[in-house]
Amino acid sequence: MSTGVRSLAPTPARAAHAIPGIEKYRWVILLGLITAAVMEVLDTTIVNVALPQMAGNLSATQVEIAWVSTSYILANVVVLPMTAFFTARFGRKRYLTFSILLFIAASFLCGTSSSLGELVLFRLLQGAGGAALLSTAQATLRQIFPAREQGLVQAIFLLGIIVAPTLGPTLGGWITDNYTWSWCFFINVPIGVVSALLVSTFLHDPPNATRHTGDVDWLGISLLVAGVGSLQYVLEEGNSHDWFSDAWILRLSILSATSLVTLLWWQLSRRNAHPVIELRVLKNQQLAASIFLFVVLGFGLFGGAFLFPLFTQTILGFTPTATGLSMMPGGVTTACIALLCGFLLNGDKPKADARVLILVGMSLMLWSMWDLGHLTVVAGERDARLALIIRGAALGFLFTPINNVAFGSLKPQEAQQASGLINLSRQLGGSFGIAVLGTYLTRHIALHRADLVTNLYEQRYHALVAGMAAKGGTLIEAQARALRLLEATVMRQASMLAYNDAWMFILLSFLCVVPAVFLLRRPRGRAAAVDAH
């Protein structure tokens, strides 16, 4: 009788050949996987700078062109929790290679799109292919490298995930200024080809791998698509539609909540023999606490990457390229600190306690948010530079150690499902961050403007009118110029205060999750890599 699982265990001769290949070429595989991951994360931010040019070329409105970003993230968050299912169904090597090739093909088709509909469709395919470039790639590294090297290896892999959102706007601005928006997609083709060649040539499925060929959890997949897809749409579009005052946002919110609750019940039900998401892995306290922390990290990482360009371009008058360059030192700092943490956590006897490093990162994040929350309208790039560097150091101290703790107490066979949930939590945390902070910023600008207007002195207005009248023109023209100047001044000050509030909001979010760090424990054991048997 068929059990729905087909063994892929090789003969002894085949196993003996496959294992040395993995050990010999695992650093080459790392290069292929990190290249794919950087390419995927970069595509979530690189196109944002080019959206205005796309809108002009494709005759789309600003609302319509936003779907170029929304469609990509929608597909990505829907597929991420299913990567473990696809890996078990088709095999690690096949699924990874197919995902990279799909990403390459979709990138090329995006660059050749002649209409908005084509571009959105191909971005959906690109996002679906990109999910494995994060989740399956990270789990693969957990399986092919021994435990003593995991600290450094995971730190190297995380560099792309952390730094790419910072570098994306800079690269996108440069490409848009010097070429056309199509090259934001064409640039993926040669990079992807190299990655696909390395992965398909040197990566093999583990000798003891099994492939699941039983029934497919179609109900779970349907609930997942409806729940996560609706949630992501609500987060992306809610602010621009005034949230629940819009009928579609309200309906999709109800659909999302109902679908996700039902999905949770169905995935844990004993009647579901082959769940599409193995949620029982969350019984591991280390993993559950780490996922909670990753949600907040995504909130701070993507929320900060959303706030700072808006602040510099609307308040300080920076160009997109200047904004990207001002964020560069923070990204470099993140890379350096992440590698340092990887070195400290590497080996059979780590040189530092991951929990201590996480608390250091939390402290630095609070410091940087406090500094950014106390800037003024006369601030310049130098004033924000130190805070951004401190923020970059904080991210390095947070991502690598939390990742180390999350995977340290898991069996390598559980790494794929855990990786999917970790990457999903970070992406949803980022979506929550952008949605919440966007709404928070809009509301607080209005609140501060109303407060400032009520405190304007009549004498100030008359003085401005007198000054304008002295420059020539009629009294009515002088009054109009004075009112415009006052309105611009009030809005600039109100916006500045609102940005300060937003940075302090991120500070409070990190402060609230500090107790979760104390739920973490030092990993008791270090399991060998799957492919090292």
Side-chain angles (χ1 to χ4, degrees):
M1 183 174 67
S2 175
T3 62
V5 177
R6 182 164 52 127
S7 174
L8 295 180
T11 63
R14 180 184 171 190
H17 173 72
I19 296 170
I22 288 289
E23 292 177 350
K24 182 177 180 181
Y25 296 112
R26 59 192 177 204
W27 291 100
V28 179
I29 297 171
L30 170 61
L31 177 62
L33 295 180
I34 194 173
T35 302
V38 169
M39 181 174 62
E40 195 279 339
V41 178
L42 201 62
D43 249 57
T44 61
T45 58
I46 192 173
V47 300
N48 291 341
V49 179
L51 288 179
Q53 189 183 90
M54 292 181 191
N57 291 161
L58 301 176
S59 301
T61 65
Q62 291 301 315
V63 174
E64 291 172 338
I65 203 65
W67 273 98
V68 174
S69 296
T70 302
S71 59
Y72 181 91
I73 300 175
L74 271 173
N76 200 256
V77 298
V78 167
V79 177
L80 268 173
M82 292 193 287
T83 52
F85 164 76
F86 289 131
T87 301
R89 192 84 182 178
F90 302 110
R92 182 178 65 189
K93 178 178 178 177
R94 286 184 180 180
Y95 178 48
L96 257 176
T97 304
F98 170 78
S99 295
I100 297 172
L101 293 176
L102 176 62
F103 195 90
I104 296 170
S107 296
F108 177 79
L109 292 172
C110 283
T112 58
S113 297
S114 58
S115 69
L116 179 64
E118 290 181 0
L119 184 55
V120 170
L121 173 61
F122 298 139
R123 283 286 280 175
L124 279 168
L125 294 176
Q126 197 182 34
L133 309 190
L134 293 179
S135 178
T136 305
Q138 189 174 26
T140 298
L141 295 178
R142 178 70 183 89
Q143 294 166 343
I144 68 175
F145 280 88
R148 65 179 180 276
E149 296 177 352
Q150 284 297 319
L152 183 59
V153 168
Q154 293 291 340
I156 294 173
F157 182 79
L158 285 171
L159 286 183
I161 298 176
I162 303 170
V163 178
T166 302
L167 302 183
T170 306
L171 181 58
W174 183 82
I175 290 175
T176 304
D177 290 340
N178 293 276
Y179 300 95
T180 65
W181 61 265
S182 297
W183 283 97
C184 290
F185 301 109
F186 290 150
I187 193 175
N188 293 328
V189 176
I191 299 173
V193 168
V194 172
S195 177
L197 286 174
L198 293 176
V199 170
S200 62
T201 303
F202 298 107
L203 180 64
H204 305 284
D205 288 324
N208 58 346
T210 55
R211 185 176 299 170
H212 294 271
T213 57
D215 296 334
V216 176
D217 181 14
W218 292 112
L219 176 59
I221 292 175
S222 300
L223 290 169
L224 176 66
V225 172
V228 177
S230 298
L231 175 62
Q232 184 64 35
Y233 178 86
V234 169
L235 293 175
E236 289 282 330
E237 302 293 326
N239 188 37
S240 61
H241 290 83
D242 199 20
W243 295 102
F244 302 118
S245 62
D246 181 84
W248 272 108
I249 294 296
L250 180 60
R251 291 167 189 161
L252 290 174
S253 298
I254 296 173
L255 174 63
S256 175
T258 304
S259 299
L260 291 177
V261 170
T262 308
L263 175 68
L264 181 64
W265 166 78
W266 176 241
Q267 295 307 289
L268 297 175
S269 174
R270 293 182 179 180
R271 291 185 293 175
N272 188 0
H274 304 287
V276 68
I277 309 174
E278 186 51 74
L279 293 176
R280 291 178 180 85
V281 72
L282 293 176
K283 290 181 179 179
N284 186 302
Q285 178 180 310
Q286 302 288 85
L287 177 61
S290 299
I291 286 177
F292 179 61
L293 290 172
F294 267 117
V295 171
V296 179
L297 281 181
F299 187 97
L301 173 64
F302 289 97
F306 163 75
L307 280 180
F308 189 76
L310 283 178
F311 165 66
T312 56
Q313 293 176 45
T314 59
I315 303 296
L316 304 184
F318 283 20
T319 63
T321 302
T323 298
L325 291 174
S326 67
M327 297 176 73
M328 192 81 70
V332 173
T333 304
T334 299
C336 295
I337 297 298
L339 287 175
L340 173 63
C341 289
F343 172 76
L344 294 174
L345 297 172
N346 213 43
D348 294 323
K349 294 182 178 180
K351 303 172 183 63
D353 188 332
R355 296 165 298 180
V356 174
L357 297 178
I358 294 171
L359 289 174
V360 170
M362 287 287 187
S363 301
L364 291 174
M365 182 62 76
L366 297 178
W367 179 7
S368 66
M369 293 301 102
W370 178 268
D371 280 354
L372 288 170
H374 287 80
L375 294 177
T376 67
V377 292
V378 295
E381 189 270 336
R382 291 184 179 180
D383 300 292
R385 184 188 303 160
L386 177 60
L388 290 177
I389 290 175
I390 295 171
R391 175 179 175 272
L395 292 173
F397 273 114
L398 289 170
F399 270 94
T400 302
I402 294 176
N403 191 75
N404 179 270
V405 171
F407 285 100
S409 58
L410 292 173
K411 297 176 182 178
Q413 293 85 349
E414 300 172 320
Q416 178 63 68
Q417 188 65 74
S419 180
L421 294 174
I422 286 172
N423 283 283
L424 176 65
S425 66
R426 188 189 65 252
Q427 185 65 61
L428 285 179
S431 297
F432 273 110
I434 294 172
V436 171
L437 290 171
T439 302
Y440 189 85
L441 196 63
T442 302
R443 301 273 173 88
H444 277 242
I445 288 175
L447 288 173
H448 285 299
R449 181 188 179 281
D451 182 60
L452 290 172
V453 167
T454 58
N455 288 282
L456 281 176
Y457 292 102
E458 188 176 351
Q459 293 89 338
R460 174 61 176 165
Y461 168 68
H462 289 306
L464 278 174
V465 171
M468 295 295 178
K471 296 180 180 179
T474 65
L475 178 61
I476 294 177
E477 291 173 341
Q479 290 173 334
R481 290 197 298 268
L483 285 173
R484 285 196 296 269
L485 179 60
L486 278 177
E487 174 64 17
T489 303
V490 167
M491 282 301 298
R492 192 160 185 253
Q493 291 289 350
S495 298
M496 184 71 251
L497 292 172
Y499 281 110
N500 287 345
D501 292 344
W503 293 116
M504 297 303 289
F505 186 86
I506 297 177
L507 183 151
L508 289 175
S509 69
F510 274 87
L511 193 61
C512 289
V513 301
V514 168
V517 180
F518 297 97
L519 296 176
L520 303 176
R521 298 191 305 271
R522 185 192 295 268
R524 295 181 180 178
R526 289 177 171 260
V530 170
D531 295 10
H533 293 170

